[in-house]
Amino acid sequence: MRFLHTADWHLGKLLHGTHLTGDQRDLLQKLCEIARERSPDVVLMAGDVYDRSVPPSEAVGLLDDTLCELVLEIGVPVVAIAGNHDSPDRLDFGSRILKEQGLHVFSKPSAEPGVVTMEDEHGPVHITGLPYAEPPQARHVFGDSGIQSHDEVLAAQTEAARGEIPDGERSVAVGHVFAKDGELADSERPLAVGGAETVGAARFEGFDYVALGHLHRRQRVEEDRIEYAGSLMKYSFDEAGHSKSVSLVEMGEEGGCTVERIPLEPKRDLRRVEKTISEVEAGPEPGENERDYIWVTLQDDGPVVDAMSRIRETYPNALHVEHPSQVDAGSLSAEASNLQSRSEKEVFEEFASHVTGEESLSEGNRAVLEEALSRLKGEEREA
């Protein structure tokens, strides 16, 4: 059986104020072409379909066009789950009707999770979706007050899913998590504060293939069978060195899998350029696409007047310019970098200690802080 594993489309994404919907449409058309040519039995979409819980109408239309082409025109079923950027209710709309056409959406955690069962010449393969869920939500769903971390959320989800799959039969899990030792990019929103967001790969015991989303760099976690497909395109400049792709997974009779990564080449790349302003104004280098999205680091020693306007004469899609020689790299910059490396919880606890003179928060105050941060994150996701 063949799976086409993709994730993190982030439809409706803005990058430095620039809408990326046109670029996303082009890449999703390439994905559909891959589906036509390689004939997978199912497409696995591992979360973050949209970039925010209330997506723009253009993003909704693009998703509709893409799913119609995959499911109705090409005839390949799609199994999709909600990620931490998605609104489960909006993603779930019409799913009970659409599953009859081959679109299976897992938007909310369930104590009795659904399973999509498909057949090949070797027998059934059971696919279960493990949508993103916050610990308070999972405590309610599973009736377990002991669920405090994302790892414990995943433990409850996988245990429930294994109960729906016959022993000895092949199975696939589709999840949206931050696996321990995975590589995070700037464009990925943290799932929690205080280090509670990571999950252990051991939670996926028993599944023959695990199709993951959330981390934007394609990568394996501990075992070959646990894979991140990576994001549809580059969504921050620290991803400039990434190569984006979709994963074509072939599962054998005993559940063993081989993975082929098929590149997704964008019309406009996302990259960094380091030049003087005169080198920029001399024009693009041979073979360089001047229409790419560009972060320019100017190497001039002195000030540069009207830098962005001059840069856009050569690179019309330049999104950011920095001039390191004009920045004081003193203590303020070091302190800002130090703050960025710490969680909201750590920063607040240090502030509280400075104000009150106490070395640490009391257990009661720490519980209030964690509840407030969790509530604010929930409000942010619904904003």
Side-chain angles (χ1 to χ4, degrees):
M1 185 169 291
R2 283 183 168 183
F3 315 102
L4 193 62
H5 172 196
T6 180
D8 295 280
W9 292 355
H10 289 276
L11 303 183
K13 176 76 174 178
L14 286 170
L15 181 64
H16 290 263
T18 298
H19 289 273
L20 299 179
T21 309
D23 301 86
Q24 292 170 330
R25 181 176 293 277
D26 177 68
L27 288 167
L28 287 176
Q29 188 56 50
K30 293 180 187 299
L31 185 146
C32 290
E33 291 169 4
I34 292 169
R36 287 184 189 277
E37 293 171 3
R38 305 303 293 271
S39 301
D41 296 288
V42 62
V43 173
L44 308 177
M45 202 293 164
D48 281 354
V49 177
Y50 292 121
D51 189 59
R52 51 190 183 273
S53 58
V54 184
S57 58
E58 294 83 358
V60 176
L62 175 54
L63 179 63
D64 184 49
D65 291 343
T66 302
L67 293 177
C68 283
E69 184 166 356
L70 286 170
V71 177
L72 300 180
E73 296 179 24
I74 301 175
V76 56
V78 173
V79 174
I81 66 168
N84 59 302
H85 283 249
D86 296 309
S87 165
D89 290 328
R90 289 184 174 86
L91 200 62
D92 197 43
F93 178 77
S95 62
R96 285 178 292 178
I97 298 172
L98 296 171
K99 71 178 181 180
E100 300 300 325
Q101 300 293 328
L103 175 60
H104 306 273
V105 179
F106 296 80
S107 62
K108 301 174 185 177
S110 173
E112 298 179 354
V115 174
V116 178
T117 299
M118 306 188 68
E119 298 270 350
D120 65 7
E121 64 270 26
H122 305 301
V125 176
H126 306 282
I127 304 170
T128 186
L130 310 173
Y132 173 80
E134 297 279 1
Q137 181 186 14
R139 287 197 292 270
H140 174 73
V141 169
F142 294 101
D144 184 352
S145 61
I147 296 176
Q148 300 295 325
S149 68
H150 285 268
D151 186 59
E152 290 163 344
V153 172
L154 181 62
Q157 287 181 299
T158 52
E159 182 179 358
R162 281 189 286 264
E164 301 292 319
I165 298 171
D167 292 341
E169 295 188 355
R170 294 171 295 167
S171 62
V172 174
V174 186
H176 193 87
V177 296
F178 181 3
K180 186 178 179 182
D181 298 327
E183 295 183 36
L184 194 69
D186 284 349
S187 56
E188 295 149 3
R189 182 185 300 165
L191 299 181
V193 297
E197 70 271 25
T198 59
V199 304
R203 298 300 188 188
F204 296 111
E205 183 68 31
F207 292 99
D208 295 295
Y209 183 75
V210 181
L212 293 182
H214 180 59
L215 300 187
H216 288 186
R217 180 189 291 275
R218 66 185 189 193
Q219 55 193 291
R220 292 175 177 172
V221 180
E222 293 193 15
E223 305 176 44
D224 291 351
R225 65 188 180 89
I226 305 175
E227 289 258 350
Y228 283 97
S231 56
L232 181 70
M233 61 181 294
K234 301 173 184 179
Y235 288 125
S236 70
F237 281 98
D238 77 325
E239 297 179 44
H242 292 195
S243 297
K244 301 303 181 180
S245 61
V246 293
S247 298
L248 186 65
V249 184
E250 187 146 358
M251 178 178 285
E253 180 178 2
E254 301 299 323
C257 294
T258 58
V259 180
E260 176 188 355
R261 294 186 172 117
I262 303 175
L264 287 175
E265 300 292 343
K267 291 189 300 185
R268 287 183 285 262
D269 200 359
L270 190 74
R271 57 190 178 89
R272 294 175 179 264
V273 169
E274 297 183 8
K275 294 182 178 182
T276 64
I277 191 65
S278 60
E279 289 172 334
V280 170
E281 291 180 319
E285 298 177 8
E288 185 182 24
N289 183 2
E290 69 273 15
R291 296 285 175 179
D292 286 345
Y293 297 116
I294 303 292
W295 174 304
V296 179
T297 300
L298 290 176
Q299 296 179 319
D300 300 79
D301 292 329
V304 177
V305 177
D306 200 17
M308 183 58 88
S309 295
R310 295 165 68 181
I311 288 168
R312 284 180 172 164
E313 290 294 322
T314 298
Y315 301 116
N317 293 316
L319 299 181
H320 183 81
V321 58
E322 66 176 3
H323 197 173
S325 68
Q326 301 300 302
V327 177
D328 180 10
S331 60
L332 183 61
S333 176
E335 178 60 25
S337 176
N338 186 33
L339 286 174
Q340 290 175 352
S341 68
R342 288 183 286 173
S343 69
E344 292 95 331
K345 180 181 176 183
E346 291 170 329
V347 171
F348 185 87
E349 287 184 337
E350 183 176 324
F351 171 74
S353 176
H354 174 75
V355 171
T356 64
E358 301 291 336
E359 289 188 6
S360 61
L361 292 175
S362 67
E363 289 299 321
N365 285 337
R366 184 174 288 109
V368 171
L369 172 60
E370 291 176 351
E371 181 181 352
L373 290 172
S374 178
R375 184 173 65 252
L376 287 171
K377 180 164 181 60
E379 292 173 356
E380 178 189 14
R381 290 183 62 243
E382 292 301 323

